[in-house]
Every structure is written in structure tokens, then in C-alpha cells.
Amino acid sequence: MNRITSLFGITYPIVQGGMVWCSGWRLAAAVSNAGGLGLIGAGSMHPDTLREHIRKCKAATSKPFGVNLPLMYPQIDEVMQLVVDEGVKIVFTSAGSPKKWTGWLHERGVTVVHVVSSSRFAQKAEEAGVDAVVAEGFEAGGHNGREETTTLCLIPAVRRATSLPLIAAGGIATGESMLAVQALGAEGVQIGTRFALTAESSASDVFKNYCLQLEEGDTRLLLKKLAPTRLVKGKFLDAVSAAEASGATEEQLRELLGKGRAKRGIFEGDLDEGELEIGQIASLLRGRGIQPVAEVMEELVQAYEKGREALLQSKL
């Protein structure tokens, strides 16, 4: 037991990332049933869809689970009320200041965790009263912080800056990497990419299989004029890269991005016209195939324990 497992009432300090188009009720329930903390990713859901996923997740697991809410969500007031009305007790917030909503959620018995990309934002999250922080390095897939700080540098900096329970994210997909960030001061991990490519993820199998064949260097952090986003090699990445190289404006990049590209790429499996997002660590999973969550969780825990034993027996 540590502060993370105690805070959430879970067996292992492993949190599943709340990823758009990947983190539906099936994935959240599977991770929670395996002893971690599953999260429903609300960022790609209309309110009625989110309500449906919450209710289905409740029916599929008796274990704790939560909802990840980007604070830039256009109907944030409605969704916050919905989450409380549906009895969700854990909310992860991101992409904005947690100051407005943390107290409101606490008054309604909800545990609040905020995702940060720097020690400065971690301090602001602590001042806002959150219960824990996720420090996410720029190795992560999807939207990233502008600081481009790697997980190995970010975790000790955040640990020094705040006394809050600390969850590490970005580039973590194995038990060995869990052990590494623990040595740097993290008390738990949030894993996105590995869970995004499991059988229970709502992403398209076409997208999953494509990502499971990636090699080192097959993702890049682009769209920095809008919001830094880690993209996977393909036609859309090439188009964005060419546009940025020619000095495209924010407006031109927004026009290129359009609407629904992430859904088209991740959820529908359109590898040509879709926006494909995954973390750098995908290359380490090359050739593994699509695994069930229970198998992934077992591998994570066993590799962590084996690695810890090896460290204890070694002489540095």
C-alpha cells in the first residue's frame, strides 16, 4: 500500500490514461477489475454518451473507476454536474486550471487529480487543493505540454516542488519503467499507450495493429502553434510537417486539422486521412499483438516485482 493505492482504494498504483477514442467503459472496467484504476475519457464524448459509459462501467465493475475531464470541454458545467449526479467519486482534470472546479468537486465528495507538464503547474495544482498530480513527460501520445520536458527530468523536479501524491506518466509501458519512476519519487504511474492498444480499448484494431508495428522515431511532436501533439507517421503527419516547414499560420493549421480527424484515425482506423496519436513507447511494444488488459496488468506487476528483486540483489 502507498498513498496512491490508499487514495483510490485500488490494489496496484497503476492508472489507465483517459484517452480520447480509446478509453471507453470496457477499458476502464477491465483495468479496474484487474486491480488498477480505470478512467473513462470524456474528452471525445457528448454528455449523453458519457452518462451511458459511466452507467455501463458501473455495471461491469464493482471496483473504483474515474473520469478524465479536459477543462476546455465546451459543456464543462453540464458535464461536471453529470459526473456528480452519476456518483463518480474520482475525477482527473487536465488542459486548464483546476482552481475553479477542485473545491466544488471536493464539496461533493469527489477526489480530484490534475495532470501537469511542469513543476510550476504542479505547485499551482497544489495551491488549488487537488488530492494528487499526474506529471506527464513529453514522450506521451496526444496533447502535450509546451515545455517538452522528458519524464526522467520532470518527475524529480515535481517531487521537489510539491508534497502531493505523485503519479508519473509519459513513456511508461513496462514494470521496469514503473520501477524507474518510483526511484525518482513517483508513487504511481499512469499508462496510456499500452492500454490504448489492448483488446478492450475502443480504438480501431486497424489503428492498434499499425501502432504495434512502429519503430523508434515514428512519432513526432507537431502542431506546436495550436497545442503540441504527438503524431504517428503517415499522410497527415507529412502534411502537417510540410505546412509547418513552409511557415503555416495558426489559422492555416486549424484549417488543415479540420474537425473529426482524431476520431477518423483512432476510432475509425483511417490511416491516410485520420489524425493518429500514440506515445513514443509504442516502438517498444512492436510485434506484441493486441493483448487483453488482464494479461497486460499481470505482465506489468510481474516485471515490476522481478526488477525490484534484481535491484535488491545487485551491488551498485
Side-chain angles (χ1 to χ4, degrees):
M1 293 286 288
N2 66 13
R3 291 198 294 175
I4 297 301
T5 55
S6 297
L7 181 65
F8 300 135
I10 56 180
T11 304
Y12 307 115
I14 300 172
V15 180
Q16 163 240 317
M19 304 160 287
V20 295
W21 305 116
C22 297
S23 303
W25 69 268
R26 288 184 180 84
L27 179 57
V31 173
S32 290
N33 283 333
L37 180 70
L39 295 180
I40 296 171
S44 56
M45 298 181 182
H46 295 296
D48 287 344
T49 304
L50 176 59
R51 182 182 289 108
E52 178 185 351
H53 277 259
I54 291 171
R55 292 180 178 180
K56 286 183 175 180
C57 197
K58 280 183 183 177
T61 183
S62 59
K63 304 291 181 65
F65 71 92
V67 170
N68 181 81
L69 277 173
L71 293 172
M72 63 174 64
Y73 192 99
Q75 297 162 283
I76 189 67
D77 292 38
E78 178 183 350
V79 170
M80 283 289 187
Q81 189 62 55
L82 182 160
V83 165
V84 169
D85 290 346
E86 291 297 325
V88 174
K89 293 301 181 186
I90 301 168
V91 167
F92 279 53
T93 57
S94 59
S97 169
K99 188 174 182 180
K100 177 180 178 180
W101 289 105
T102 298
W104 187 89
L105 289 166
H106 279 166
E107 288 170 3
R108 289 155 180 80
V110 178
T111 297
V112 182
V113 183
H114 191 63
V115 182
V116 301
S117 57
S118 71
S119 55
R120 180 169 65 90
F121 287 138
Q123 288 174 321
K124 287 183 176 296
E126 185 168 25
E127 290 167 6
V130 303
D131 298 289
V133 290
V134 176
E136 183 180 73
F138 102 126
E139 299 95 323
H143 295 293
N144 266 277
R146 295 190 178 279
E147 298 80 5
E148 298 189 25
T149 306
T150 64
T151 302
L152 218 60
C153 294
L154 181 61
I155 298 307
V158 172
R159 179 71 293 157
R160 185 184 302 167
T162 175
S163 61
L164 288 172
L166 173 57
I167 300 167
I172 301 167
T174 64
E176 292 86 352
S177 52
M178 289 169 54
L179 191 60
V181 293
Q182 183 183 32
L184 295 173
E187 296 155 85
V189 295
Q190 184 170 51
I191 295 176
T193 291
R194 185 132 194 219
F195 286 130
L197 305 179
T198 58
E200 291 88 346
S201 162
S202 51
S204 162
D205 281 358
V206 174
F207 169 78
K208 295 174 192 176
N209 284 316
Y210 185 69
C211 290
L212 287 165
Q213 296 303 317
L214 295 177
E215 297 181 348
E216 290 180 32
D218 280 348
T219 68
R220 288 180 60 193
L221 199 64
L222 296 171
L223 293 169
K224 296 179 186 179
K225 286 183 179 179
L226 303 180
T229 307
R230 184 165 297 283
L231 301 175
V232 182
K233 71 172 184 178
K235 287 187 177 180
F236 181 64
L237 182 150
D238 291 342
V240 172
S241 183
E244 292 186 341
S246 65
T249 64
E250 283 187 42
E251 185 177 344
Q252 288 171 326
L253 288 172
R254 281 198 185 91
E255 186 177 341
L256 175 61
L257 182 59
K259 292 184 178 180
R261 272 198 191 268
K263 179 183 181 182
R264 199 184 311 172
I266 299 170
F267 189 69
E268 298 175 357
D270 185 342
L271 302 182
D272 290 329
E273 297 301 324
E275 179 185 350
L276 311 176
E277 304 173 6
I278 206 69
Q280 280 185 329
I281 202 66
S283 63
L284 194 65
L285 307 175
R286 180 177 169 83
R288 277 180 179 264
I290 299 172
Q291 298 175 277
V293 163
E295 185 176 298
V296 168
M297 286 289 288
E298 185 178 359
E299 284 185 12
L300 289 170
V301 173
Q302 287 183 353
Y304 171 85
E305 294 294 345
K306 184 178 179 180
R308 188 173 64 169
E309 285 298 318
L311 284 179
L312 290 172
Q313 293 172 13
S314 66
K315 294 182 179 179
L316 298 179

